[in-house]
Amino acid sequence: MNTQSLLSLKRIYLLIRRYITLNAKATLIALGGISGFLLLIILVQTYASGQVIYSGFVKTFWAIFFFGGFILTSRIFHELHSPEKSYQYLSLPASTLEKFLSRWLLSSLIYMVVTFLVLGLIGLLGGGLGAGLFGVQFHPLNPLQLDFIQLAGTYWVMQSVFLLGACHFRGHNFLKTLLALFLIGVFIAIFTSLMTKFIMAGQWPEHGGFEPEYFQQVPAFFTVTLPAIAKTFFWYLMAPFFLIVSYFKLKERQV
Amino acid sequence: MIQLHHLHFGYNRKKALFSDLSLELEPGNIYGLLGQNGAGKTTLLKIIMGLLFPDSGQCEVFGHPAPSRHPGMLQEVYIIPEEFQLPAISIREYVKIHGIFYPRFDHGQFEQHLQEFRLNGGDKLSALSYGQKKKFLLAFGLATNSRLLILDEPTNGLDIPSKSQFRRIMAASITPERAFLISTHQVRDLESLIDPVIILDKGNIIFHQKTDEITKKLAFRVVREEEAEKDLLYAEDLVNGKAAITRNKGHQESQIDLELLFNGVISQSQAINSEFNPGAVF
């Protein structure tokens, strides 16, 4: 290992291995419980409908995928929130960049690969079992379909917000991040309402909503350019921004 | 090795804990960092380790600024804090996932210390007593072969045989390349081990001397009540006289009473320090 370098792939691997070893038991219990629950959904739905149906399984999977992923991400630096443990993590011979990258990879890429494997395997197992047990025709679920990939991409971006929450808050990270998002949401809603009222000056309806022709008078900047900027910000700028801020939060972290 | 220059640190802006603190640590020594509660001992150790950042001034550890927490620095420093929590895994698993970060980690040495402390590699860390956990961390810390081992109250929680075992192992493990920095209240436990002695009071280093210098300049003895001592620097009442620190005019070496020295330095810092630096202003 090059100890003068601030970025060593070997150390990142060792940090990932350390995290998995320290959290193996809890992870396996959660994985086993969730997999069993998802399997049951396929079997019940197959039995009830007389054909292999994945809709309930897929909806539940995505709810668990997002909710579970955000909770995992919020707790990814849980060692830092206990003074009895934080010294050990911060004094481990690896750079802040390596510590950050290892936890980011665990809560994004590795989490996504593992959950997609669960999606594929449980889909295969549930569909196969349902078909075998209830004598219906088996058709497999494709875990790599486009809308699934897009949902995973949405997670990839939104996860970075919870990573910042994990680095910034000292305890109850998930709930505090949710609260912060809620407050920011309220602020944006108030701001956009006021902006709309300002732009639509004199045309603000007293009762009911706007007539469609009102929107034709709104400058294209607000109907075309602004949504395009928001989309670009979400897909290309939001995650890097939150990741960079999270890294510096971790770098400044003291016990 | 470790250099602290004009260090300023405070937990809040209004009250500084350290103001203009400077200190240098060299290899080959077992430094004893003594101080009252709240003197800043643990804070100082955390600053050296890069766990707390100074407000201003420099703290360089093996050529790296401590706040950078550079891997090259962290592999040369290992800390055993007073309060810690170990994961619910076996000793063997712990060593497997942590030892590899230290390039000079010696598994043979670790096993040897483990045997001396009567611990087993298969033992689950969460099931060990506080004293056993401390012994495990000590075995691990020594086996890292880091050039600076920092110990915060290492004898707290150790039983009487373990304390002497601790002293023996520490004395046998010191080499010209490495240093130990031990912060403690239990001065009697480590009296025979530590050299030099550093005393911290109200955020300042008020005493920093090697033991041979101390015994050369100061004498530790029991004097009778009526005995008028013109060379007396500090005294404490005993049942049958006074435990005293006097000027060592006869240049006869006496056994250092570390507790007495500590109390003396805290209450008569100027008088005692002037024996080492005549003419200096404290």
Side-chain angles (χ1 to χ4, degrees):
Chain A
M1 260 188 295
N2 181 2
T3 54
Q4 291 312 310
S5 157
L6 291 175
L7 186 62
S8 150
L9 290 179
K10 188 181 178 187
R11 277 200 298 262
I12 293 176
Y13 160 72
L14 292 174
L15 287 166
I16 291 173
R17 191 182 75 166
R18 175 182 178 272
Y19 181 88
I20 291 170
T21 307
L22 292 178
N23 297 280
K25 203 174 170 185
T27 309
L28 285 174
I29 291 170
L31 213 57
I34 290 166
S35 301
F37 179 63
L38 291 172
L39 190 65
L40 202 66
I41 291 174
I42 302 177
L43 293 177
V44 168
Q45 214 173 9
T46 303
Y47 174 73
S49 64
Q51 56 180 317
V52 176
I53 294 180
Y54 295 108
S55 61
F57 160 67
V58 167
K59 280 177 190 162
T60 315
F61 170 81
W62 285 112
I64 294 172
F65 174 82
F66 276 94
F67 197 66
F70 294 151
I71 290 179
L72 171 81
T73 306
S74 299
R75 288 184 47 76
I76 202 79
F77 288 110
H78 70 279
E79 276 177 280
L80 287 178
H81 311 316
S82 151
E84 290 85 18
K85 287 181 186 171
S86 59
Y87 85 92
Q88 203 174 38
Y89 183 61
L90 291 174
S91 65
L92 204 62
S95 68
T96 306
L97 183 62
E98 291 158 350
K99 285 172 185 166
F100 174 75
L101 286 176
S102 65
R103 296 286 161 109
W104 173 61
L105 285 172
L106 273 160
S107 57
S108 59
L109 189 67
I110 295 171
Y111 173 74
M112 282 154 64
V113 168
V114 171
T115 46
F116 264 67
L117 275 175
V118 169
L119 176 74
L121 285 173
I122 300 298
L124 200 66
L125 193 66
L129 263 176
L133 285 172
F134 309 120
V136 294
Q137 200 185 355
F138 171 69
H139 64 93
L141 171 81
N142 175 16
L144 298 175
Q145 50 194 279
L146 189 63
D147 50 343
F148 287 7
I149 304 287
Q150 275 176 343
L151 279 168
T154 308
Y155 169 78
W156 182 289
V157 173
M158 288 179 69
Q159 180 262 353
S160 62
V161 180
F162 287 86
L163 196 67
L164 176 59
C167 293
H168 179 71
F169 297 119
R170 288 176 179 252
H172 306 294
N173 302 61
F174 178 63
L175 294 175
K176 283 180 182 172
T177 310
L178 277 186
L179 181 67
L181 283 174
F182 170 73
L183 292 175
I184 291 167
V186 167
F187 172 77
I188 291 172
I190 293 170
F191 179 75
T192 45
S193 299
L194 290 172
M195 282 297 286
T196 311
K197 196 166 183 174
F198 174 73
I199 293 159
M200 307 293 283
Q203 295 172 338
W204 190 261
E206 288 301 320
H207 305 288
F210 288 110
E211 293 300 322
E213 54 265 27
Y214 283 138
F215 289 101
Q216 288 166 6
Q217 297 162 15
V218 177
F221 174 78
F222 293 100
T223 54
V224 181
T225 316
L226 203 59
I229 290 173
K231 208 172 170 180
T232 308
F233 173 78
F234 180 81
W235 285 110
Y236 301 105
L237 298 174
M238 195 168 120
F241 170 76
F242 282 107
L243 291 178
I244 290 168
V245 177
S246 304
Y247 165 71
F248 283 106
K249 280 276 167 197
L250 189 63
K251 202 171 166 56
E252 288 165 9
R253 190 63 186 249
Q254 301 177 60
V255 293
Chain B
M1 189 166 101
I2 314 291
Q3 293 174 323
L4 287 86
H5 291 304
H6 310 294
L7 205 79
H8 290 253
F9 177 85
Y11 283 102
N12 57 57
R13 286 182 184 181
K14 287 179 185 167
K15 199 179 169 193
L17 179 60
F18 300 136
S19 44
D20 207 30
L21 185 141
S22 295
L23 176 70
E24 285 196 22
L25 303 180
E26 293 300 329
N29 295 311
I30 302 179
Y31 290 92
L33 181 63
L34 315 179
Q36 292 171 304
N37 291 331
K41 301 187 297 294
T42 302
T43 303
L44 185 62
L45 301 185
K46 285 178 179 172
I47 289 174
I48 293 172
M49 197 69 212
L51 301 175
L52 288 174
F53 302 160
D55 299 328
S56 64
Q58 287 178 315
C59 177
E60 275 210 0
V61 180
F62 299 108
H64 298 282
S68 73
R69 295 196 282 249
H70 194 284
M73 167 203 136
L74 292 174
Q75 70 176 29
E76 295 298 349
V77 196
Y78 189 80
I79 185 168
I80 301 175
E82 187 182 8
E83 288 169 2
F84 51 81
Q85 201 178 328
L86 294 174
I89 54 173
S90 72
I91 288 178
R92 210 165 279 131
E93 276 179 304
Y94 185 96
V95 171
K96 191 177 168 190
I97 58 172
H98 290 98
I100 195 150
F101 285 96
Y102 298 89
R104 293 191 301 278
F105 190 88
D106 187 333
H107 287 270
Q109 193 184 343
F110 176 72
E111 288 295 331
Q112 192 190 327
H113 291 316
L114 222 52
Q115 275 181 6
E116 284 177 271
F117 287 132
R118 295 184 183 179
L119 292 169
N120 194 302
D123 292 343
K124 207 169 180 181
L125 287 168
S126 52
L128 299 179
S129 72
Y130 176 72
Q132 286 175 312
K133 284 177 188 170
K134 209 152 210 183
K135 289 179 194 173
F136 158 72
L137 281 180
L138 188 65
F140 186 88
L142 288 169
T144 60
N145 284 299
S146 55
R147 283 154 67 196
L148 176 67
L149 184 62
I150 298 175
L151 303 106
D152 195 2
E153 301 293 350
T155 54
N156 270 6
L158 294 188
D159 54 28
I160 294 164
S162 301
K163 283 180 183 177
S164 51
Q165 202 174 28
F166 167 78
R167 283 191 292 267
R168 194 165 38 77
I169 290 175
M170 293 302 285
S173 303
I174 191 72
T175 64
E177 292 80 34
R178 70 194 307 196
F180 301 149
L181 176 58
I182 305 175
S183 154
T184 187
H185 290 109
Q186 319 282 343
V187 285
R188 295 246 183 254
D189 290 344
L190 303 169
E191 215 158 41
S192 57
L193 189 69
I194 55 181
D195 180 21
V197 177
I198 303 170
I199 298 178
L200 196 61
D201 189 44
K202 298 185 185 101
N204 294 308
I205 290 168
I206 57 168
F207 188 81
H208 184 179
Q209 297 295 338
K210 286 194 73 71
T211 51
D212 57 353
E213 271 297 303
I214 298 170
T215 52
K216 209 161 92 183
K217 306 277 185 186
L218 304 176
F220 297 84
R221 54 204 190 95
V222 176
V223 293
R224 286 195 302 276
E225 283 282 355
E226 64 278 11
E227 203 174 337
E229 272 286 348
K230 69 178 172 79
D231 290 326
L232 189 76
L233 294 167
Y234 175 76
E236 277 177 10
D237 287 335
L238 294 174
V239 181
N240 53 349
K242 284 178 184 290
I245 304 175
T246 62
R247 290 185 187 89
N248 191 9
K249 284 286 171 68
H251 298 291
Q252 285 182 330
E253 279 200 10
S254 58
Q255 175 75 34
I256 298 176
D257 181 337
L258 211 49
E259 198 173 297
L260 189 65
L261 175 70
F262 176 76
N263 291 335
V265 171
I266 293 290
S267 60
Q268 301 291 337
S269 166
Q270 199 171 341
I272 292 176
N273 271 305
S274 62
E275 293 303 308
F276 297 88
N277 307 292
V281 178
F282 296 95

